[in-house]
Amino acid sequence: MEIESSEQAIDEGLYSRQLYVLGHEAMKKMGSSNVLIVGLKGLGVEIAKNVVLAGVKSVTLYDPEPVKISDLSSQFFLHEEDIGKPRATVTKPRLAELNQYVPVSILEGELTNDKIRNFQVVVLTETPLKKQLEINDFTHANGIHFISTDIRGLFGVVFVDFGPHFNVIDITGENPLTGMVAAISKDIDGIVTCLDESRHGLEDGEYVTFSEVKGMEELNDCEPRKVKVLGPYTFSIGDTSNFGDYISGGIFTQVKQPKTISFKSFRESLKKPEHLISDFGKWDRPGQLHLGFQALHAFTEKNGSLPRPYNELDADEVLKLAKELNEQCEEKVELSDKLIKQLAYGAAGDLSPMAAVFGGLVAQEVLKACSGKFHPIYQFFYFDSLESLPDNVKFGEEECAPCDSRYDGQIAVFGKEFQNTIANFRAFLVGAGAIGCEMLKNWAMMGLGTGPRGAIHVTDMDTIEKSNLNRQFLFRPNDVGRLKSECAAAAIAKMNPQIASRIISHQDRVGIETENIYNDDFFEALDVVTNALDNVDARKYMDRRCVYFRKPLLESGTLGTKGNTQVVIPYLTESYSSSQDPPEKSIPICTLKNFPNAIEHTIQWARTSSKEILEGIQNYLVTAKPLSFDECVTWARIKFEEFYNNNIQQLLFNFPKDSVTSSGTKFWSGPKRAPDPLIFDPENETHIEFIIAAANLHAFNYGLTGETNREYVKKVLSNVIVPEFTPKSGVKIQVQENETVPQASTDENELQEIVSSLPSPSSLAGYRLNPVEFEKDDDTNFHMDFITAASNLRAANYGIQPADRHKTKFIAGKIIPAIATTTSLVTGLVCLELYKIIAGKNKLDEYKNGFVNLALPFFGFSDPIAMPKYKYHETEWSLWDRFDIEGDLTLTEFLDYFKKNHELEVTMLSCGVTMLYAFFIQGKKREERKNMKLSQLVETISKKPIPPHVKALTLEMCVNDRNDEEVEVNYEFT
């Protein structure tokens, strides 16, 4: 399905996950925006890649400079054979492949104001400060959105100027808050009390409007009213004293207010900068780096190049320039000589992870400029990852000098010795989707695993779908249907041929069933595991394996504009599974079945309707087996009557609209909305859509040919006779979640009657039923048509605002919103942590867990949580410890070992679900077991052989200490 814009249709098949981040309106605005990107080294191409994937009207490139070997450190669309050619010329066709809807062109000649005039957004990288100021003077005066950005080694900067009057339509991108009202006072300062099911979540100064209020009806669809929060369930909304008396009901809905931001020009901002803090643990750095980056520009203007890597004279000159600039400032900054010199030492460096971080961040700012969606950076942003530098490397000019290598940009920061360490690292990437693609690109640029000992393993069992192409940038349209891991491996081998022989792709899911593939030998050979997964269960499994084999784990995830990273280090941090998010709140069954009050309830109901097994088999094979599509239409019409009329009549028969509870309150009040039966109308769009979708799904079950002609379906419907329905007494309906509804007793004779009515297997030779497996991304299979219509009809029953197909698909398909910008940034942060793991850092405060929200924008970094410690006797232990016992002991030898060596009495011992020993086992069974080898004991009791790939048994035990008190110990390994 496609939504028309003024320019062109939005391809929902391609942009579906991004649409749930930005929305249709923002994407339409992006579709009329022309973007200019200046400079196509690693940072420029990252920005361009993310903007092209997002879908703007056009992207124009400017970079006439020739390709150098050092550019290959981070510019993934350049190859060695491109050296000497203009960067823009060779990059353009490779960028254009990313999105057929975004034309990519090259700006020729000098970069003049006249040429800039036709762009809505201008992004500058690798541009001298004087040129930046000149261009910004023009853009600021002419309503053109301006961004400048640079990365220098482990440091980076962004400056944003969207003009003196920039309108932000939606600051956060979060869905408007909504809730049900329990009472509204009639007062000078009216107080709204919400139902105590959930907190309202509002903040002072926000605005709300109302609907479905009875009595005080002046509030329905009123102008937004300003909120003052009084408590978690109450807030005031101003004067309600002249309104009617509140009777019942009501829903409040937050109304988002636009914001106008006045940006200062670059020239003005240089003197009085406004900073967005990137790391509150480094709050004093933005002011220093503001001077440091200006000093780098001054040095480059004077000397014709950036400071030489780790050259003391050059670093001293940069420091001197920074101090001179500081003296000219009205407000002096306390400069750290060490920080400014570190900036100078690595300024010639060009790191792929830093390009990924700033490429994702700046591309999102471009999209904000185009759409007005989300809050822009105001106005300077400085970031560094100085702690990524290894502690055990002797840095010096010779060690970090260029050596005509594709890794010269990385060597300039880390040196040749550390580059060799990176090349001989062995990594396992679990998942080759959005995060996986970005991770592999960064690894290819870093040269990870390219050495004689090095290796990269990547696994993903999924195949490529069209909706992946919008953010999984290693894939192209002709890859659809192919395996992700194979295509991703082939793509990065083109980016860096040195990795071709060192990357091994797998197609096996990680789990207990594949431990013969990802076995002890496999894990013991690894140096790091990186998760790029989209589900918690797989993450937890990999976490357990990493703890078992004591391997570092890099974990990350994204949700729209939000992203997080976590580092798990053996003997240092807690594991991924140590901390867990609270479980999602589930919808009570009684709410789904009888008392929905939100569209989410009706969508979930539409997706989960099911039948009893035996009754279903009988219906499908005997009673309701259709022989034509017309019979499928009849079936759908009867289902309509059952779902939207008969069941509602029965509910209202049990609980009439004027019912009261035993306490005297109205039954249909609070979250319970009184429904109304629907009368079928073939001219009603939703009614007929339900019939067509349901009939076609039913026809698919039986291999019958479907039909979408509405007039034909209406003609069939005109001949359908719908049975009369009369509500029955004695039907029990569940009202509360904890209420038990008696089930109809099962008569054995009834069951036998159903079984007897089933046809014999021989009469079904060649007969086949086609199961319908839910697939949200196929617009031709009627699945989303059915769920949308079924949900909206139920919403009509209960007076709930219906949802369009787009929103229904999001909720029913449990779609995770995703955009390439966040993915790029998050993987960059992960790779900055990877440098630390490769360097063998062993201090907790040297690692960082991160949380970002590009919409706000917000950055938060914290030290990982330290591993919890436990104790028995005088021995301290953590989740990373265990008892390693060599040899296959007998049970008696095992029990004696712990008694003699650890003063622990084993009271229970198990292997998985197999109980091997317990103190209460006596007599013959105990005697039989005590002299058996543990391996034999496991096989005997479990009645299964130990698989040949298992090198060690993991045993769990309960123990008492020397005081006969039960104590906790970690598992043991034999």
Side-chain angles (χ1 to χ4, degrees), residues 630-850:
D630 289 12
E631 291 182 32
C632 295
V633 173
T634 301
W635 174 85
R637 175 65 183 87
I638 300 300
K639 283 295 172 189
F640 179 100
E641 203 68 15
E642 177 190 332
F643 291 155
Y644 307 112
N645 188 298
N646 301 354
N647 291 350
I648 301 300
Q649 283 193 56
Q650 183 66 57
L651 182 62
L652 291 172
F653 179 81
N654 281 40
F655 306 107
K657 289 192 176 184
D658 57 359
S659 299
V660 293
T661 65
S662 57
S663 62
T665 59
K666 289 184 177 180
F667 179 85
W668 294 107
S669 62
K672 293 189 180 73
R673 303 170 71 100
D676 290 299
L678 296 185
I679 307 301
F680 181 75
D681 176 5
E683 301 307 318
N684 183 296
E685 192 72 13
T686 309
H687 293 203
I688 202 71
E689 281 175 359
F690 173 86
I691 299 295
I692 290 172
N696 275 279
L697 285 175
H698 202 53
F700 174 82
N701 284 142
Y702 294 93
L704 299 172
T705 303
E707 177 61 71
T708 57
N709 184 297
R710 296 188 174 218
E711 295 310 312
Y712 177 80
V713 171
K714 287 177 185 178
K715 185 179 177 183
V716 175
L717 286 169
S718 65
N719 296 317
V720 175
I721 298 171
V722 179
E724 287 287 329
F725 175 78
T726 305
K728 301 182 182 72
S729 299
V731 175
K732 299 293 182 183
I733 292 175
Q734 185 180 2
V735 176
Q736 301 295 336
E737 180 64 6
N738 56 1
E739 181 183 356
T740 303
V741 175
Q743 301 293 317
S745 59
T746 303
D747 186 316
E748 196 61 40
N749 292 331
E750 266 186 273
L751 279 179
Q752 193 54 47
E753 216 174 285
I754 294 174
V755 172
S756 300
S757 72
L758 299 178
S760 65
S762 59
S763 69
L764 296 173
Y767 179 71
R768 185 167 180 173
L769 277 168
N770 301 312
V772 173
E773 294 179 12
F774 178 55
E775 172 47 61
K776 59 186 176 291
D777 288 321
D778 181 352
D779 287 341
T780 65
N781 62 12
F782 295 98
H783 297 188
M784 285 313 308
D785 303 88
F786 174 79
I787 291 173
T788 303
S791 166
N792 285 339
L793 287 171
R794 189 158 173 83
N797 278 138
Y798 286 87
I800 296 168
Q801 187 70 27
D804 62 16
R805 180 194 174 94
H806 182 66
K807 182 176 180 179
T808 303
K809 179 177 175 179
F810 176 64
I811 297 169
K814 298 180 179 177
I815 288 174
I816 298 173
I819 189 167
T821 51
T822 316
T823 310
S824 172
L825 187 147
V826 162
T827 53
L829 293 177
V830 169
C831 290
L832 291 173
E833 297 304 306
L834 177 59
Y835 282 134
K836 302 173 188 178
I837 291 174
I838 296 171
K841 288 180 178 279
N842 55 12
K843 293 178 184 173
L844 197 69
D845 62 2
E846 292 181 309
Y847 291 96
K848 299 291 178 190
N849 288 347

Side-chain angles (χ1 to χ4, degrees), residues 383-397:
F383 170 86
D384 76 87
S385 185
L386 205 50
E387 60 277 5
S388 292
L389 284 174
D391 304 318
N392 53 358
V393 171
K394 289 184 179 178
F395 296 104
E397 192 170 357

